[in-house]
Amino acid sequence: MASTDRKLTDKQILDNKTNSVMQTVAKRAAYYRANVNRFVEDYLQINYLKLFQKIILHAMFTHNSMVFVACRGLGKTYLIALFCVCKCILYPGTKVVVSSYTFKQSKETISKITDDFMHHSPLLCAEIKRWSTGQNDAGIWFHNGSYIICKVAAETSRGARANVLIRNCLAIW
């Protein structure tokens, strides 16, 4: 009897299905990591980014450090929040710390995610384990082990560990 003629056990069938699913996940993750703007459109259902926003988002994903200087109303907090969400979903276990001069300013990133993005994307809601927008504790924790937390840029916040550090600056001329 040839090996192709024998019947597979239930465990072998399950293993084959699992391997097939994991290969598909790996291919899609690689595609979306290289094309984050497609991830934003396909998965998060956000279809209204301008070309310059897509370019900035791509630059955030492909460079180790990035400086984004812009005037009021250009969507700095929006793009930072979008970057944080994409990074946390596409790279499980990512630790993002958003640091600002005031806690209220860093909390705006979390508010943008909870008040705006989550209303557009039920898939994003399924990714999020819990979130908090409290006075002393603001953050979003994902099922895959990633999180986004807010800290004040001060001596008291020195213990926070992160893979990604977002530093919001306020410049007054």
Side-chain angles (χ1 to χ4, degrees):
M1 179 185 239
S3 63
T4 57
D5 293 340
R6 68 181 177 96
K7 301 248 182 193
L8 296 176
T9 65
D10 289 341
K11 184 180 181 332
Q12 290 171 326
I13 293 171
L14 181 62
D15 288 345
N16 288 346
K17 284 183 182 179
T18 302
N19 288 337
S20 175
V21 167
M22 293 310 291
Q23 287 175 358
T24 302
V25 168
K27 286 178 186 176
R28 288 187 182 175
Y31 173 77
Y32 283 133
R33 286 175 179 177
N35 301 287
V36 68
N37 61 311
R38 295 296 304 164
F39 179 75
V40 169
E41 292 173 5
D42 295 346
Y43 194 79
L44 298 178
Q45 299 296 309
I46 297 173
N47 299 316
Y48 44 82
L49 289 182
K50 305 253 188 284
L51 179 61
F52 80 92
Q53 291 172 316
K54 292 177 184 180
I55 293 169
I56 291 169
L57 192 60
H58 178 74
M60 288 175 163
F61 259 78
T62 56
H63 294 84
N64 287 334
S65 63
M66 167 84 179
V67 177
F68 177 30
V69 180
C71 63
R72 287 178 54 108
L74 205 59
K76 296 177 293 292
T77 303
Y78 187 88
L79 278 176
I80 289 169
L82 195 58
F83 166 75
C84 292
V85 166
C86 293
K87 192 76 167 179
C88 285
I89 293 172
L90 291 173
Y91 294 90
T94 300
K95 300 171 185 137
V96 178
V97 173
V98 179
S99 176
S100 296
Y101 182 68
T102 64
F103 191 71
K104 181 182 174 195
Q105 187 181 6
S106 63
K107 258 178 39 173
E108 288 178 20
T109 305
I110 302 299
S111 298
K112 188 65 70 176
I113 296 166
T114 58
D115 297 343
D116 192 3
F117 300 160
M118 289 176 68
H119 293 292
H120 292 296
S121 176
L123 293 173
L124 174 60
C125 294
E127 294 280 348
I128 294 175
K129 185 179 193 178
R130 70 178 180 96
W131 74 89
S132 171
T133 55
Q135 287 286 107
N136 301 321
D137 179 34
I140 296 176
W141 292 264
F142 293 81
H143 289 289
N144 67 5
S146 298
Y147 62 77
I148 305 165
I149 57 171
C150 297
K151 296 289 183 182
V152 177
E155 285 291 319
T156 57
S157 300
R158 287 181 48 182
R161 301 288 183 253
N163 304 108
V164 177
L165 176 63
I166 307 292
R167 175 69 172 102
N168 289 340
C169 296
L170 175 65
I172 300 173
W173 302 98

